[in-house]
Protein backbone atom coordinates (compact mmCIF):
# COMPACT_ATOMS: atom_id res chain seq x y z
CA UNK A 1 0.00 0.00 0.00
CA UNK A 2 1.31 3.53 -0.67
CA UNK A 3 3.02 5.24 2.24
CA UNK A 4 0.97 8.41 2.59
CA UNK A 5 0.13 8.36 6.30
CA UNK A 6 2.17 8.22 9.50
CA UNK A 7 1.90 5.16 11.73
CA UNK A 8 0.44 4.54 15.16
CA UNK A 9 1.39 1.25 16.79
CA UNK A 10 -1.40 -0.32 18.86
CA UNK A 11 -0.29 -3.11 21.17
CA UNK A 12 -2.51 -5.76 22.75
CA UNK A 13 -1.90 -8.79 24.95
CA UNK A 14 -4.92 -11.06 24.42
CA UNK A 15 -6.68 -12.38 21.31
CA UNK A 16 -9.92 -10.60 22.28
CA UNK A 17 -8.02 -7.29 22.57
CA UNK A 18 -6.37 -7.81 19.18
CA UNK A 19 -9.71 -8.65 17.55
CA UNK A 20 -11.34 -5.54 19.04
CA UNK A 21 -8.71 -3.28 17.43
CA UNK A 22 -8.42 -5.19 14.16
CA UNK A 23 -12.13 -4.86 13.38
CA UNK A 24 -11.64 -1.10 12.97
CA UNK A 25 -9.26 -1.65 10.03
CA UNK A 26 -11.19 -2.34 6.82
CA UNK A 27 -8.02 -3.52 5.11
CA UNK A 28 -4.58 -4.41 6.42
CA UNK A 29 -1.36 -6.03 5.30
CA UNK A 30 0.68 -8.45 7.39
CA UNK A 31 4.25 -7.39 8.11
CA UNK A 32 6.96 -9.59 9.58
CA UNK A 33 10.04 -8.40 11.49
CA UNK A 34 13.30 -10.24 10.69
CA UNK A 35 13.09 -11.85 14.14
CA UNK A 36 9.57 -13.12 13.47
CA UNK A 37 7.38 -10.55 15.25
CA UNK A 38 4.27 -9.85 13.19
CA UNK A 39 1.80 -6.97 12.90
CA UNK A 40 -1.11 -6.08 10.67
CA UNK A 41 -1.10 -2.52 9.34
CA UNK A 42 -3.84 -0.61 7.60
CA UNK A 43 -5.48 2.82 7.34
CA UNK A 44 -7.87 3.88 10.10
CA UNK A 45 -10.93 5.50 8.53
CA UNK A 46 -11.49 9.22 9.06
CA UNK A 47 -8.02 9.71 10.54
CA UNK A 48 -4.60 10.69 9.15
CA UNK A 49 -3.12 7.43 10.49
CA UNK A 50 -2.08 3.95 9.58
CA UNK A 51 -2.60 1.62 12.56
CA UNK A 52 -0.21 -1.28 13.06
CA UNK A 53 -1.69 -3.72 15.58
CA UNK A 54 0.27 -6.44 17.39
CA UNK A 55 -0.65 -9.18 19.86
CA UNK A 56 2.24 -9.53 22.31
CA UNK A 57 1.02 -11.99 24.92
CA UNK A 58 0.95 -11.35 28.66
CA UNK A 59 3.46 -9.74 31.02
CA UNK A 60 5.36 -6.48 31.40
CA UNK A 61 8.83 -7.86 30.57
CA UNK A 62 7.57 -9.43 27.34
CA UNK A 63 5.75 -6.20 26.49
CA UNK A 64 8.86 -4.08 27.06
CA UNK A 65 11.09 -6.16 24.80
CA UNK A 66 8.59 -6.42 21.96
CA UNK A 67 7.57 -2.77 22.26
CA UNK A 68 11.16 -1.65 21.72
CA UNK A 69 11.52 -4.03 18.77
CA UNK A 70 8.34 -2.82 17.07
CA UNK A 71 9.07 0.86 17.74
CA UNK A 72 12.57 0.59 16.26
CA UNK A 73 11.16 -1.30 13.29
CA UNK A 74 8.10 0.80 12.35
CA UNK A 75 9.16 4.20 13.78
CA UNK A 76 5.63 5.25 14.79
CA UNK A 77 4.60 8.71 15.89
CA UNK A 78 2.36 7.32 18.64
CA UNK A 79 2.11 4.15 20.71
CA UNK A 80 -1.06 2.89 22.36
CA UNK A 81 -1.69 -0.12 24.56
CA UNK A 82 -5.34 -1.15 24.28
CA UNK A 83 -6.90 -3.90 26.35
CA UNK A 84 -8.73 -4.93 29.51
CA UNK A 85 -8.07 -4.47 33.22
CA UNK A 86 -9.51 -5.09 36.65
CA UNK A 87 -11.32 -2.15 38.22
CA UNK A 88 -10.18 -0.80 41.57
CA UNK A 89 -12.83 1.85 42.27
CA UNK A 90 -16.48 1.40 43.23
CA UNK A 91 -17.63 4.13 40.85
CA UNK A 92 -16.01 2.50 37.79
CA UNK A 93 -18.06 -0.38 36.42
CA UNK A 94 -17.54 -3.28 34.05
CA UNK A 95 -17.48 -1.92 30.51
CA UNK A 96 -16.17 1.49 31.58
CA UNK A 97 -12.89 2.71 30.06
CA UNK A 98 -9.90 4.05 31.98
CA UNK A 99 -7.41 6.16 30.04
CA UNK A 100 -4.16 6.22 31.99
CA UNK A 101 -2.88 9.64 33.05
CA UNK A 102 0.14 7.79 34.41
CA UNK A 103 1.25 4.20 34.86
CA UNK A 104 2.57 2.76 38.14
CA UNK A 105 4.92 -0.19 38.49
CA UNK A 106 3.75 -1.64 41.80
CA UNK A 107 6.44 -4.17 42.72
CA UNK A 108 9.51 -2.03 43.44
CA UNK A 109 10.66 -1.71 47.05
CA UNK A 110 12.85 -2.89 49.90
CA UNK A 111 11.89 -5.41 52.57
CA UNK A 112 13.20 -4.39 56.01
CA UNK A 113 12.59 -5.59 59.59
CA UNK A 114 10.31 -2.59 59.97
CA UNK A 115 8.25 -3.56 56.94
CA UNK A 116 8.17 -3.11 53.18
CA UNK A 117 9.45 0.24 51.96
CA UNK A 118 7.91 1.11 48.62
CA UNK A 119 10.14 2.41 45.83
CA UNK A 120 7.54 3.16 43.20
CA UNK A 121 8.10 3.79 39.53
CA UNK A 122 5.72 5.90 37.47
CA UNK A 123 5.54 7.03 33.86
CA UNK A 124 3.42 9.99 32.76
CA UNK A 125 1.25 9.62 29.70
CA UNK A 126 1.75 11.81 26.64
CA UNK A 127 0.26 15.25 27.22
CA UNK A 128 -0.83 15.48 23.58
CA UNK A 129 -2.64 12.13 23.67
CA UNK A 130 -4.13 12.80 27.08
CA UNK A 131 -5.52 16.10 25.82
CA UNK A 132 -6.91 14.38 22.73
CA UNK A 133 -8.64 11.87 25.01
CA UNK A 134 -10.09 14.58 27.24
CA UNK A 135 -11.59 16.47 24.31
CA UNK A 136 -12.69 13.45 22.25
CA UNK A 137 -14.20 11.49 25.14
CA UNK A 138 -15.26 14.10 27.65
CA UNK A 139 -17.59 12.52 30.20
CA UNK A 140 -17.35 9.09 28.53
CA UNK A 141 -14.15 7.70 30.08
CA UNK A 142 -12.19 7.95 33.32
CA UNK A 143 -8.79 9.64 33.09
CA UNK A 144 -6.99 8.11 36.05
CA UNK A 145 -3.70 6.40 36.97
CA UNK A 146 -3.33 2.70 36.14
CA UNK A 147 -1.40 0.21 38.29
CA UNK A 148 0.64 -2.54 36.65
CA UNK A 149 1.95 -5.74 38.19
CA UNK A 150 2.79 -9.28 37.14
CA UNK A 151 -0.26 -10.60 38.96
CA UNK A 152 -3.84 -11.58 38.18
CA UNK A 153 -5.80 -10.20 41.13
CA UNK A 154 -8.89 -12.21 42.07
CA UNK A 155 -8.99 -11.50 45.82
CA UNK A 156 -9.76 -7.97 47.03
CA UNK A 157 -8.71 -8.95 50.57
CA UNK A 158 -5.26 -10.23 49.63
CA UNK A 159 -1.92 -8.73 50.68
CA UNK A 160 -1.26 -7.44 47.15
CA UNK A 161 -4.68 -5.76 47.06
CA UNK A 162 -3.92 -4.05 50.36
CA UNK A 163 -0.51 -3.03 49.03
CA UNK A 164 -2.16 -1.30 46.06
CA UNK A 165 -4.76 0.43 48.24
CA UNK A 166 -2.11 1.68 50.67
CA UNK A 167 0.58 2.84 48.24
CA UNK A 168 -1.23 3.44 44.92
CA UNK A 169 -4.62 4.50 46.18
CA UNK A 170 -5.38 6.80 43.23
CA UNK A 171 -5.06 3.94 40.71
CA UNK A 172 -8.37 3.12 39.04
CA UNK A 173 -7.39 -0.10 37.27
CA UNK A 174 -4.89 -2.96 37.51
CA UNK A 175 -3.30 -4.70 34.52
CA UNK A 176 -0.13 -6.57 33.54
CA UNK A 177 1.67 -4.91 30.60
CA UNK A 178 1.46 -1.12 30.71
CA UNK A 179 4.64 -0.51 32.70
CA UNK A 180 6.72 -2.44 30.16
CA UNK A 181 5.22 -0.47 27.30
CA UNK A 182 5.62 2.84 29.13
CA UNK A 183 9.27 2.18 30.02
CA UNK A 184 10.18 1.13 26.47
CA UNK A 185 8.46 4.27 25.15
CA UNK A 186 10.33 6.39 27.71
CA UNK A 187 13.60 5.25 26.12
CA UNK A 188 12.40 6.33 22.66
CA UNK A 189 12.58 10.08 22.11
CA UNK A 190 9.46 12.03 21.15
CA UNK A 191 7.06 9.07 21.15
CA UNK A 192 3.53 9.88 22.29
CA UNK A 193 2.25 7.02 24.46
CA UNK A 194 -1.06 6.17 26.13
CA UNK A 195 -2.57 3.14 27.91
CA UNK A 196 -6.31 2.55 27.37
CA UNK A 197 -8.10 -0.14 29.39
CA UNK A 198 -11.66 -1.40 29.42
CA UNK A 199 -12.79 -2.73 32.80
CA UNK A 200 -13.67 -6.44 32.57
CA UNK A 201 -13.87 -7.34 36.29
CA UNK A 202 -13.46 -5.87 39.77
CA UNK A 203 -10.17 -7.61 40.65
CA UNK A 204 -11.97 -9.72 43.25
CA UNK A 205 -13.44 -13.21 43.73
CA UNK A 206 -16.01 -12.45 41.04
CA UNK A 207 -13.37 -12.27 38.31
CA UNK A 208 -13.94 -15.82 37.00
CA UNK A 209 -17.69 -15.29 36.76
CA UNK A 210 -17.21 -11.95 35.00
CA UNK A 211 -14.82 -13.52 32.49
CA UNK A 212 -17.26 -16.38 31.86
CA UNK A 213 -20.02 -13.87 31.11
CA UNK A 214 -18.04 -12.46 28.17
CA UNK A 215 -16.91 -9.29 29.93
CA UNK A 216 -13.43 -9.33 28.41
CA UNK A 217 -14.48 -9.00 24.73
CA UNK A 218 -17.03 -6.33 25.67
CA UNK A 219 -14.46 -4.35 27.65
CA UNK A 220 -11.91 -4.73 24.83
CA UNK A 221 -14.46 -3.39 22.33
CA UNK A 222 -15.05 -0.32 24.51
CA UNK A 223 -11.31 0.32 24.83
CA UNK A 224 -10.85 -0.02 21.06
CA UNK A 225 -13.71 2.41 20.42
CA UNK A 226 -12.02 4.91 22.74
CA UNK A 227 -8.77 4.42 20.79
CA UNK A 228 -10.52 5.30 17.53
CA UNK A 229 -12.05 8.45 19.02
CA UNK A 230 -8.67 9.56 20.34
CA UNK A 231 -6.91 9.00 17.01
CA UNK A 232 -9.60 10.97 15.21
CA UNK A 233 -8.70 13.90 17.44
CA UNK A 234 -4.90 13.41 17.63
CA UNK A 235 -2.84 14.96 14.84
CA UNK A 236 0.60 14.04 13.44
CA UNK A 237 3.68 16.12 14.03
CA UNK A 238 4.97 18.18 11.13
CA UNK A 239 8.41 17.19 9.92
CA UNK A 240 8.34 13.50 10.89
CA UNK A 241 8.63 10.82 8.26
CA UNK A 242 5.41 9.06 7.33
CA UNK A 243 6.85 5.72 8.44
CA UNK A 244 10.08 3.77 8.66
CA UNK A 245 9.93 2.66 5.04
CA UNK A 246 8.38 5.81 3.57
CA UNK A 247 9.99 6.83 0.32
CA UNK A 248 8.96 10.47 0.30
CA UNK A 249 9.09 11.50 3.97
CA UNK A 250 6.00 13.67 3.43
CA UNK A 251 5.31 16.21 6.14
CA UNK A 252 2.01 16.44 7.95
CA UNK A 253 0.12 19.71 7.95
CA UNK A 254 -0.25 19.65 11.74
CA UNK A 255 2.05 19.97 14.74
CA UNK A 256 5.03 22.02 15.90
CA UNK A 257 7.96 23.13 13.81
CA UNK A 258 11.38 21.51 14.14
CA UNK A 259 14.91 22.67 13.37
CA UNK A 260 16.82 22.07 10.14
CA UNK A 261 18.23 18.60 9.57
CA UNK A 262 21.72 17.96 8.21
CA UNK A 263 21.63 15.21 5.58
CA UNK A 264 25.26 14.78 4.57
CA UNK A 265 25.51 17.21 1.68
CA UNK A 266 22.54 19.49 2.31
CA UNK A 267 20.37 21.03 4.99
CA UNK A 268 16.66 20.22 5.09
CA UNK A 269 14.73 23.39 6.07
CA UNK A 270 11.24 22.07 5.38
CA UNK A 271 8.79 23.28 8.02
CA UNK A 272 11.19 26.00 9.26
CA UNK A 273 11.12 29.78 9.10
CA UNK A 274 14.26 31.91 8.96
CA UNK A 275 15.04 35.49 7.95
CA UNK A 276 17.95 37.10 6.11
CA UNK A 277 20.43 35.67 3.62
CA UNK A 278 21.72 32.11 3.84
CA UNK A 279 25.21 31.37 2.48
CA UNK A 280 26.81 27.93 2.46
CA UNK A 281 30.23 26.95 1.26
CA UNK A 282 32.36 23.88 1.59
CA UNK A 283 35.92 24.29 2.83
CA UNK A 284 38.64 22.26 1.14
CA UNK A 285 41.83 20.86 2.59
CA UNK A 286 43.78 24.05 1.89
CA UNK A 287 42.95 27.41 3.43
CA UNK A 288 40.72 29.52 1.23
CA UNK A 289 39.72 26.68 -1.09
CA UNK A 290 35.93 26.58 -1.63
CA UNK A 291 33.54 24.41 -3.55
CA UNK A 292 32.54 26.18 -6.79
CA UNK A 293 29.55 23.91 -7.53
Amino acid sequence: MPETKPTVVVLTALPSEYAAVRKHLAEAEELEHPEGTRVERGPLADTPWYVAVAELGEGAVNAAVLTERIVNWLRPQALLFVGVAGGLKDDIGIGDVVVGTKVYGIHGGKQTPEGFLVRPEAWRSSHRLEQAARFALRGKVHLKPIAVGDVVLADAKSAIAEHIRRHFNDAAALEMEGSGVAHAAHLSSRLDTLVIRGISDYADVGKAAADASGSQPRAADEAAAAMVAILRKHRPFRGRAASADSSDGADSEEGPLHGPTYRGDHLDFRGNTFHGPFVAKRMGRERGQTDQR
Side-chain angles (χ1 to χ4, degrees), residues 93-181:
I94 291 177
D96 286 358
V97 173
V98 176
V99 174
T101 54
K102 58 184 170 182
V103 173
Y104 290 127
I106 67 171
H107 289 305
K110 179 180 181 180
Q111 187 66 53
T112 73
E114 292 75 30
F116 187 75
L117 305 180
V118 175
R119 294 177 176 176
E121 290 188 279
W123 297 265
R124 298 286 320 188
S125 297
S126 156
H127 177 67
R128 296 182 71 238
L129 281 171
E130 183 183 321
Q131 285 288 295
R134 288 186 186 277
F135 278 77
L137 297 164
R138 190 175 301 280
K140 299 178 182 179
V141 301
H142 304 270
L143 285 105
K144 299 287 185 181
I146 293 175
V148 181
D150 278 325
V151 58
V152 176
L153 186 57
D155 181 2
K157 298 180 180 179
S158 64
I160 190 68
E162 177 60 27
H163 173 78
I164 294 170
R165 284 192 293 269
R166 178 180 295 273
H167 300 293
F168 305 95
N169 66 330
D170 59 342
L174 175 68
E175 46 99 343
M176 296 180 64
E177 293 82 29
S179 61
V181 172

Side-chain angles (χ1 to χ4, degrees), residues 3-22:
E3 298 296 339
T4 58
K5 298 184 178 183
T7 295
V8 173
V9 165
V10 178
L11 304 176
T12 66
L14 305 176
S16 60
E17 298 168 348
Y18 183 92
V21 174
R22 177 62 180 83

